[in-house]
Amino acid sequence: MKSQHPETIALHGGSHRADPNTGSVAVPIHMTTSYQFKDTGHAARLFALQEMGNIYTRIMNPTCDALESRMAALEGGAAALALSSGQAASAFCVLNLCQAGDNFVCSTDIYGGTWNLFANTMKQMGIECRFVDPADPEAFARASDSRTRCWYGETLPNPKLQVFPVAEVAALGRRMGIPLIMDNTAAPVICRPLELGAAVVMHSTTKWIGGHGTSIGGIVVDGGNFDWEAWGDRFPTLNSPDPSYHGAIWTQAVKPLGPVAFIVRMRTCLLRDIGAAMSPFNAFLFLQGLETLPLRMERHCANATRVAQWLAQHPKVAHVIHPSLFEGEAARRASILKGGFGSLIGFELKAGAEAGRRFIEALKMFYHVANIGDARSLAIHPATTTHSQLDAEEQAASGVTPGYVRLSIGIEHIDDIIADLAQALEAV
Ligand code: PLP
């Protein structure tokens, strides 16, 4: 059944209906490394990509496939690839297009771990990441040249929470033949970047999709909406013979399967070689989370809006960042979020960094953890934790000041959330 509604897609979207062998309604956990070939011809056809089917769980698995096809449906994309973590998903997005000597342009407003990966590890691989402030969409174009392979941004960037101008940047990129890759981790259901012109979406499924703080995972969704062939010179990994796959040119080889060259190349080359596969058990847990994601997002967002309003009037709070409070251009940019403004909140205490630490230690119900998007409410002090590996200048560029506290608002009763915040603020 085809539906446009996320509530329905989360339960019914993608390839799984009932298990054809057993009738099992829940997606079975296929804990198998490998799959019996029908005969030698079948095996050869699978390896030659002349027929689609399971070969080995490092590169595909039926439980992961159910998650992949459901996530592709949720984001409105053509196909998806599940990976072992959000970090693996970010790395694969870039490595699928960039080789040593190439560059890509990335928003300064991104998660600290992504920053490290792009600024340092990619550099060691000979790939240059050029950071630009997304306040000015044109900055992406100015930073690009003939070796620029993609642009990268975060929809609702953690911790700045200034909503990324997806449509503006994507449109500029399309004119120059440069695809926009969006990390949509903090805005599942409430934003669909592919509809706004992005070419690829990734998620750390560790967060809202899993939703219960149990498993690490990532996923990449290929929008199937970017013409890699029309800009052939810009994308040698997709348009020139691949020596690791008997000379296949991915944009040609994959044509019978649809507009999925990007994701097929990621699976057949990067996942095959680097092996950052999602475990089928984790895929099952993410499918469980996905079933209630739209419902949880409603409650996450409603609770966060109430908390933001409450904090904004508190005498000990200097300022609060949550898109529900934005005005002017920031509010216009936040209008790409539909049905809620996300559940991350940043705020600064008037009494500064030491007060921030005391506040976190006084919380009783909130967990003090390095995670976001759990059903439970969470809090952290980014300057001394998630962003501590960045220097002061890099911290400032990504929106982390010494007294900044980040909250990830859960789905508990709003009265209990506010009561815990109130007693912790009293202790400051
Ligand atoms: N992207 C964002 C926005 C994140 O917040 C995170 C993790 O916090 C990641 C990517 C990396 O995901 P993972 O921890 O699953 O590797």
Side-chain angles (χ1 to χ4, degrees), residues 85-87 111 114 154 158 183 185 202 204 206-207 216-217 372:
S85 67
Q87 286 297 97
Y111 162 62
T114 313
E154 247 178 61
N158 157 26
D183 179 335
T185 297
M202 61 74 54
S204 163
T206 313
K207 309 294 171 0
I216 301 285
I372 49 175

Side-chain angles (χ1 to χ4, degrees), residues 17 46 75 129 133 285 342 360 411 413:
R17 178 66 189 166
L46 293 184
E75 286 289 3
C129 179
D133 185 347
L285 292 174
I360 287 200
I411 59 173
H413 196 283

Side-chain angles (χ1 to χ4, degrees), residues 28 82 166 211 371:
V166 183
N371 193 26

Side-chain angles (χ1 to χ4, degrees), residues 32-378:
T32 181
T33 55
S34 35
Y35 307 85
Q36 168 82 352
F37 301 123
K38 291 177 198 145
D39 50 45
T40 51
H42 177 228
R45 285 193 303 281
L46 293 184
F47 273 89
L49 299 180
Q50 285 160 357
E51 189 181 325
M52 284 297 116
N54 294 314
I55 298 175
Y56 187 60
T57 281
R58 173 156 31 83
I59 42 176
M60 74 273 280
N61 173 278
T63 314
C64 295
D65 176 71
L67 174 68
E68 287 161 352
S69 56
R70 198 162 288 176
M71 275 304 301
L74 189 74
E75 286 289 3
L81 180 63
L83 294 164
S84 58
S85 67
Q87 286 297 97
S90 305
F92 273 33
C93 283
V94 172
L95 293 176
N96 209 31
L97 298 172
C98 292
Q99 305 176 91
D102 294 341
N103 68 74
F104 67 108
V105 183
C106 181
S107 164
T108 45
D109 297 357
I110 49 164
Y111 162 62
T114 313
W115 183 295
N116 240 332
L117 165 69
F118 287 178
N120 299 310
T121 301
M122 290 288 172
K123 191 174 175 183
Q124 288 159 13
M125 296 174 167
I127 298 168
E128 182 195 356
C129 179
R130 301 174 176 175
F131 289 102
V132 297
D133 185 347
D136 175 13
E138 298 275 350
F140 281 83
R142 286 197 300 275
S144 300
D145 58 28
S146 63
R147 297 290 296 265
T148 303
R149 305 293 182 227
C150 58
W151 293 348
Y152 197 100
E154 247 178 61
T155 314
L156 185 53
N158 157 26
K160 257 195 195 170
L161 304 179
Q162 298 296 316
V163 179
F164 188 85
V166 183
E168 293 88 330
V169 176
L172 273 173
R174 281 179 183 273
R175 283 205 286 280
M176 298 169 68
I178 303 178
L180 175 63
I181 299 170
M182 288 305 304
D183 179 335
N184 201 33
T185 297
V189 180
I190 59 173
C191 184
R192 302 224 302 174
L194 298 174
E195 281 175 359
L196 299 169
V200 174
V201 161
M202 61 74 54
H203 283 269
S204 163
T205 52
T206 313
K207 309 294 171 0
W208 287 264
I209 291 168
H212 298 81
T214 56
S215 14
I216 301 285
I219 200 153
V220 179
V221 181
D222 183 342
N225 61 5
F226 194 87
D227 191 346
W228 307 101
E229 267 185 281
W231 304 90
D233 291 347
R234 204 180 272 288
F235 307 110
T237 58
L238 299 177
N239 288 297
S240 48
D242 185 340
S244 83
Y245 225 102
H246 43 72
I249 298 174
W250 290 109
T251 47
Q252 307 303 318
V254 159
K255 262 202 184 128
L257 304 176
V260 288
F262 180 85
I263 209 78
V264 170
R265 196 254 177 199
M266 188 180 283
R267 184 189 295 282
T268 51
C269 298
L270 290 179
L271 188 54
R272 174 199 63 186
D273 294 351
I274 298 176
M278 180 183 283
S279 136
F281 186 70
N282 279 14
F284 173 81
L285 292 174
F286 292 130
L287 280 160
Q288 286 294 109
L290 196 51
E291 290 193 354
T292 55
L293 175 69
L295 204 52
R296 280 186 286 111
M297 286 307 284
E298 264 178 47
R299 173 66 80 91
H300 275 297
C301 293
N303 278 353
T305 297
R306 292 273 301 277
V307 169
Q309 286 161 352
W310 182 84
L311 282 172
Q313 53 70 49
H314 196 284
K316 290 187 177 172
V317 173
H319 71 266
V320 183
I321 310 176
H322 185 253
S324 66
L325 302 174
F326 291 169
E327 289 172 355
E329 174 61 9
R332 190 195 65 76
R333 288 192 178 182
S335 67
I336 63 169
L337 305 178
K338 307 289 182 202
F341 293 98
S343 59
L344 295 176
I345 296 179
F347 73 99
E348 184 103 25
L349 287 160
K350 284 183 182 157
E354 190 42 44
R357 267 197 288 276
R358 278 207 304 278
F359 167 79
I360 287 200
E361 272 162 24
L363 287 167
K364 292 194 172 115
M365 185 183 79
F366 276 66
Y367 281 91
H368 176 204
V369 294
N371 193 26
I372 49 175
D374 195 310
R376 306 160 190 84
S377 289
L378 315 172

